[in-house]
């Protein structure tokens, strides 16, 4: 009886083992040739493998799309850099000073293009003079352009003071130093701050029919160094008469520019002995 029971138990165990062995799904080779198992995919009737392929496809598609976007951005961002430098400089030369400054604040590529030294050199030549083509500004042409523009604006302020006959403004305009000098068109030299301001007081009180004097400034040329600058120009009191040749010298002192020298001389025509105007 015991022998019969043992044999029966052995047979049941053998049958259970055979059944369990047959229930294990057969491994199939992975189409991709890798060592990973696709059993889960087979158990789902092939849906798992299809889903995985679909997911891989979506990831690959998104990856390619992202790469394309990045490539487009790179191409667009470096468009200015891909141009021949001479073309870039020529294109930017059509912009004025404020526009070029605004362009430099758009993005990194435009900032590099707008800060190009050749572009600022071309703008300087367009707005001021080509006489300083051989100059090498220590801080670049952008900085030199800004410094020149500041001096030219200051020089224009000087002539606005003359038009308005403002002695108070003229007193603030000059550096209070003993070495300042002023030579009016009359040829008289005034040396020292007190004498110079007194000369302008006389000029402003000079009777001119109660009217402010009208004149034009042309051919303005400026040269700026670290703490000195000079401006040459021609001043016309009457467009039909010869010009006055004027030189103004400025000194940078305590954070601002001051005038330290003014020299005006009339360019007389042949046989012309006209009285020069003391205002200029």
């Amino acid at each position: 009886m015991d022998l019969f029971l043992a044999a029966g138990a052995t047979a049941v165990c053998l049958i259970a083992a055979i059944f369990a062995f047959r229930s294990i799904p057969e491994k199939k080779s992975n189409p991709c040739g890798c060592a990973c198992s696709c059993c889960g995919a087979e158990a789902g009737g092939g849906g798992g493998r299809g889903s995985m392929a679909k997911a891989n496809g979506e990831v690959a598609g998104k990856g390619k799309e992202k790469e394309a976007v990045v490539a487009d951005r790179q191409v667009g961002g470096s468009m200015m850099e891909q141009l021949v430098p001479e073309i870039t400089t020529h294109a930017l030369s059509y912009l004025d000073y404020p526009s070029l400054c605004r362009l430099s604040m758009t993005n990194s590529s435009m900032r590099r293009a707008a800060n190009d030294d050749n572009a600022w050199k071309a703008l300087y030549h367009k707005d001021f003079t080509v006489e300083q083509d051989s100059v090498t500004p220590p801080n670049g042409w952008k900085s030199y352009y800004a410094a020149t523009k500041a001096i030219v604006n200051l020089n224009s302020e000087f002539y606005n003071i003359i038009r308005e006959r403002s002695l108070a403004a003229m007193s603030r305009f000059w550096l209070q130093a003993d070495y300042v000098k002023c030579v009016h068109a009359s040829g008289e030299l005034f040396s020292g701050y007190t004498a110079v301001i007194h000369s302008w007081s006389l000029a402003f009180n000079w009777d001119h029919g109660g009217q402010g004097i009208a004149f034009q400034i042309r051919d303005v040329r400026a040269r700026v160094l670290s703490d000195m600058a000079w401006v040459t120009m021609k001043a016309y009191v009457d467009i039909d008469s010869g010009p006055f040749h004027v030189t103004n010298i400025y000194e940078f002192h305590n954070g601002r520019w001051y005038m330290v020298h003014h020299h005006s001389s009339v360019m007389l025509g042949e046989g012309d002995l006209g009285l020069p105007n003391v205002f200029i």
Side-chain angles (χ1 to χ4, degrees):
M1 186 65 178
D2 294 335
L3 182 61
F4 177 75
L5 291 175
T10 301
V12 171
C13 292
L14 181 60
I15 293 172
I18 294 173
F19 181 79
F21 181 78
R22 288 185 175 181
S23 65
I24 298 175
E26 181 182 0
K27 290 184 178 180
K28 297 183 179 295
S29 60
N30 195 333
C32 65
C34 60
C36 60
S37 173
C38 298
C39 297
E42 290 296 329
R49 183 168 56 193
S51 298
M52 184 179 294
K54 181 179 179 181
N56 289 337
E58 290 178 351
V59 171
K62 291 181 179 179
K64 291 181 179 179
E65 182 180 354
K66 184 177 181 180
E67 291 176 359
V69 171
V70 171
D72 290 340
R73 289 178 179 175
Q74 290 176 345
V75 172
S78 60
M79 181 176 61
M80 292 294 293
E81 297 175 350
Q82 294 177 9
L83 294 175
V84 177
E86 289 77 9
I87 296 178
T88 302
T89 301
H90 180 73
L92 295 180
S93 67
Y94 287 96
L95 300 179
D96 57 9
Y97 175 68
S99 299
L100 201 55
C101 290
R102 285 193 290 266
L103 179 65
S104 66
M105 295 185 289
T106 54
N107 57 52
S108 59
S109 296
M110 293 297 100
R111 181 166 58 253
R112 285 192 296 271
N115 288 335
D116 181 74
D117 212 42
N118 290 324
W120 283 99
K121 182 178 181 180
L123 184 62
Y124 181 92
H125 288 167
K126 183 180 72 172
D127 291 351
F128 298 118
T129 176
V130 297
E131 293 175 351
Q132 301 181 41
D133 183 69
S134 60
V135 170
T136 304
N139 298 318
W141 280 96
K142 181 178 181 180
S143 177
Y144 190 64
Y145 183 101
T148 303
K149 185 175 179 63
I151 287 297
V152 170
N153 291 343
L154 183 69
N155 195 71
S156 297
E157 182 182 345
F158 171 68
Y159 286 100
N160 288 335
I161 292 173
I162 296 177
R163 291 186 180 97
E164 296 169 1
R165 298 188 181 192
S166 175
L167 186 61
M170 185 64 77
S171 300
R172 294 189 298 268
F173 198 80
W174 283 79
L175 180 65
Q176 296 189 31
D178 293 337
Y179 56 82
V180 299
K181 289 179 173 54
C182 180
V183 181
H184 292 285
S186 60
E188 188 175 0
L189 168 65
F190 299 88
S191 182
Y193 176 80
T194 302
V196 167
I197 299 304
H198 181 66
S199 74
W200 285 109
S201 177
L202 295 175
F204 291 162
N205 290 326
W206 179 56
D207 185 15
H208 196 68
Q211 301 293 326
I213 189 169
F215 52 86
Q216 298 182 27
I217 304 299
R218 296 183 179 180
D219 299 329
V220 178
R221 299 288 184 266
R223 178 79 171 99
V224 185
L225 302 181
S226 58
D227 58 354
M228 294 294 296
W230 56 91
V231 184
T232 62
M233 70 219 78
K234 294 179 181 179
Y236 292 85
V237 177
D238 186 342
I239 199 67
D240 294 328
S241 65
F244 295 89
H245 294 284
V246 183
T247 299
N248 293 331
I249 301 177
Y250 300 91
E251 180 179 330
F252 193 77
H253 189 77
N254 290 337
R256 56 161 289 188
W257 291 97
Y258 292 90
M259 177 174 280
V260 295
H261 188 94
H262 168 76
H263 191 119
S264 178
S265 59
V266 64
M267 191 70 176
L268 298 177
E270 186 175 349
D272 186 0
L273 298 177
L275 180 66
N277 193 297
V278 297
F279 273 91
I280 306 300

